[in-house]
Amino acid sequence: MNNSSLQLTNLRCEYKVNPIGIDALQPRLSWQMVSKERGARQTAYQVLVADSTDGLDATEGHIWDSGKVSSGESIHHPYQGPPLRSGQRCYWKVRVWDTHDQPSEWSTPAFWEMGLLSPFDWKAEWIGPDLKEDKSSPQQCPMLRKAFRVEGSVRSARTYVTSLGLYELELNGRRVGDQVLTPGWTSYDKRLQYQTYDLTELLQEGENAVGARLGDGWYRGYLGFRNNRNLYGDTLALLLQIEITYKDGRTQHVATDGSWRSATGPILYSDIYKGESYDARLEKALWSRAGYDDSGWSGVRVISHSKEILVAPPGPPVRKVQEIRPIRILKTPKGETVFDFGQNMVGWVRLRVRGNAGDVTTLRHAEVLDKEGNFYVANLRAAEQTARYTLKGGGEEVYEPHFTFQGFRYVAVEGYPGEPSLSSLTGIVIHSDMTPTGGFECSSPLINQLQKNIVWGQKGNFVDVPTDCPQRDERLGWTGDAQVFIRTACFNMDVAAFFAKWLKDLAADQNEEGSVPFVVPDALSKVFRSQPPGGGFNGFGSTAWADAAVICPWTVYLCYGDRRILEEQYDSMAKWVAYMQKQAGEAYIWNTGFHFGDWLAIFPESNPLIPPPRTPNDLIATAFFAYSTSILEQTARVLGKKGDAKAYGALLKKIKKAFCEEFVSKRGRMDSNTQTAYVLALMFDLLPEGESPKAAKRLVDDIRKRGNHLSTGFVGTPYLCHVLSQNGYLDVAYDLLAQETFPSWLYPIKMGSTTIWERWDGIKPDGSFQDASMNSFNHYAYGAIGHWLYSVVGGHDVDPDAPGYKHVLIGPQLGGGLTYARTSVDSMYGKITSDWKLTEKGFRLDVAVPPNTHATVRIPASSVDHVTESGRPLSGAEGVESAHQDGKWIVVEVGSGDFIFEAAKVS
Ligand code: BGC
């Protein structure tokens, strides 16, 4: 008999729903169970893969049948059938057995489709426009086109496409796909992504035409401050292949080759930092349709460029995700007309305008207005982020830029014919299209705004790579920022595949010594090669930045149960630790090379009364050497590399010993006495047995001495509140969180921020700005407090021994005068919630635990007898497996289900 109350949903392959064009040779399959019953668990599963949906139901034609496999695991099952071919479509379904060995119904079918797995699959040739160009400056964007015939009725058609530079594709006058900034940004010399699109519906019998526009993008546009361009190459090119399968079984290829045509068009230039200039009078109407006369166009050049580097995108594409209406139009004291979108956002503006041919409307973008209320762009440095639109005249014109994006809340409009209204501009939000997974809300409106700012920081800075900022002439994949924020990012959105992609570039860009670049993809060492900055600064190897190589894969493993990312990154992780070991030598103290240190920590001049020191770089470097080694030891254990695990364990001991001898006095005082020094030592468990309380006390003394203020920078801040709450100072952590004066998380909120700032005092209390040379208002690093909000205030955490929330840890820690917090995470297994509130009777905690997981729930109460579940004593409650007291907590073990725990107030 089937268990009909058990259903299977959310079938995913490599984190995606029905992906096409993937290149994982053993794609991993995951599913979720839905069941109203408590304690629902999978005990076995069966996966069936076939070449058609009909085939799934038939008894023959199967590609792979796993058979009934005893397993409680419902995520990341690698396909284990015969090798998969390029372009092969596989349909699959799954069923599971419950705890009574009853099978579920089969799931509804899902599919995946392979991309091009070998360079030899590419019949296409690289082509570039045969047009005159001045490669030293932004040029008119080229258009490439080709007409072709379709002879018969089409069963299916795909196109595989990529470019040097960015591309936008059209077929028969329609845009292909909804991705933007394709092919994305990777370490182009080593890995270049191609996209796969389904063209079946876009083709027509008879004449067809395909057209692509190219833009400079990261490949040859301005990149990496200092007005550098052409970092990867100076020639734009397209590689495209259409594969048509007719209903009668014939196949046809259309591919880039020497027969294509090229021309320039309306885009005078389009550049990531600079923005775009578009002259609508130069549009070539119907250029991507059949029948267009391209006899006046130029030819193309066939270009020699590798096809060995082509890869399918593991991560989500960048898309237009949201639209925002402006909230007001204002006139600044200087007389500028400025639209306020009410939110610092990333993307661009859609312009609606009517006027005469040749009228020019200019849109300039800024994050903030200055103290006087004028438009402020000094912090953008060389990034013009300006869109210029020249009208063609004759009715309403609607314009959006193509190969650029801006970071802004305000848009200054010049040259708009007539009076612009609120409907003249629409904000288009773009980012990597990650599924939102987290929710956090509590009784403090300021903290809720903080959470919103964190999420907006993530949206704006997850644009194919995790960037530091989205507005000034930088926008680079800073490794330090990424490792600092990744844990928070994993709560807010599904970032597993996003990071899997970026980590492949990190490994690809690691140098021969195993050192890791400051930024990934490594654009900066290209800049430094032509303009050496001196001072031992070569773009590689800064502590806490390069440790992204180890921290990021480990975090993805913890949050998504993704063991393969550890397998794939293991060499890269090990190389980085080996590099540090070499630097540290026999003394196990790493005191060489350039480091950013506790970047943007509160400098002494902020308060002359407080003794100044900075956390020494060798202390930070040695602490992270230990931390990465400890993660690597755990990784080796997970992967069954026992010898490695032992060796890393032994290394860790030596580092810890050296650390204490070098940086900790006999009375527990740490070198420099900074908050960050104590935070790192405590968080990374570097102190000798029994010494932690002293260190925690010194940390707290410093915070109290500063009037409940932090002094930490990028390195110490992410761990600060964790260290406090883990060492008996939950109240101090809440005091820091609730602090509204500089430096604190809520100070920028009080100053009206809608994103996380780069600096604690981007805008000073008197309304003036921090140094314009480095003052971004959209930098996610300090948003790393999100981890503490979710895991301590909300009480959600993962168990490293059962990662991916297979074993859910729930245990909100109340404080800070909060009266409720509602927290949820859509895990690989389903939605986990923890909603707590203070009630008249005492305390109530609503918990949802998804099927096929179990949870340990910690409830603040003084006795098991004071706690009920759905009104019943814990001992009789269905699904409650055990309950016991642990100090101030009642610890309850449960399987899946929705539970309501209440604890009576004890007077
Ligand atoms: C970036 C950072 C980065 C830093 C290196 C800055 O310019 O914006 O966030 O980590 O340089 O310290």
Side-chain angles (χ1 to χ4, degrees), residues 690-701:
E691 289 297 311
S692 296
K694 278 189 219 153
K697 173 78 172 47
R698 285 182 188 270
L699 168 63
V700 169
D701 287 348

Side-chain angles (χ1 to χ4, degrees), residues 225 381 467-469 471-472 474-476 478-482 518-519 524 537 542 545 594-597 599-600 714 758 773-774 776 779-781:
F225 37 79
R381 304 194 307 218
T467 59
D468 57 333
C469 61
Q471 73 299 78
R472 66 181 179 220
E474 194 151 352
R475 314 181 188 192
L476 300 170
W478 281 98
T479 45
D481 306 44
F518 296 167
V519 300
L524 280 188
F537 201 85
S542 170
W545 269 246
F594 169 84
H595 301 284
F596 291 108
W599 190 248
L600 298 182
F714 274 32
E758 176 174 27
S773 70
M774 222 186 69
S776 146
H779 239 71
Y780 51 56

Side-chain angles (χ1 to χ4, degrees), residues 144-163:
L144 302 167
R145 80 180 296 279
K146 166 86 184 167
F148 60 97
R149 286 191 64 79
V150 167
E151 311 279 6
S153 117
V154 173
R155 186 166 74 210
S156 77
R158 299 283 177 273
T159 185
Y160 305 94
V161 55
T162 186
S163 54

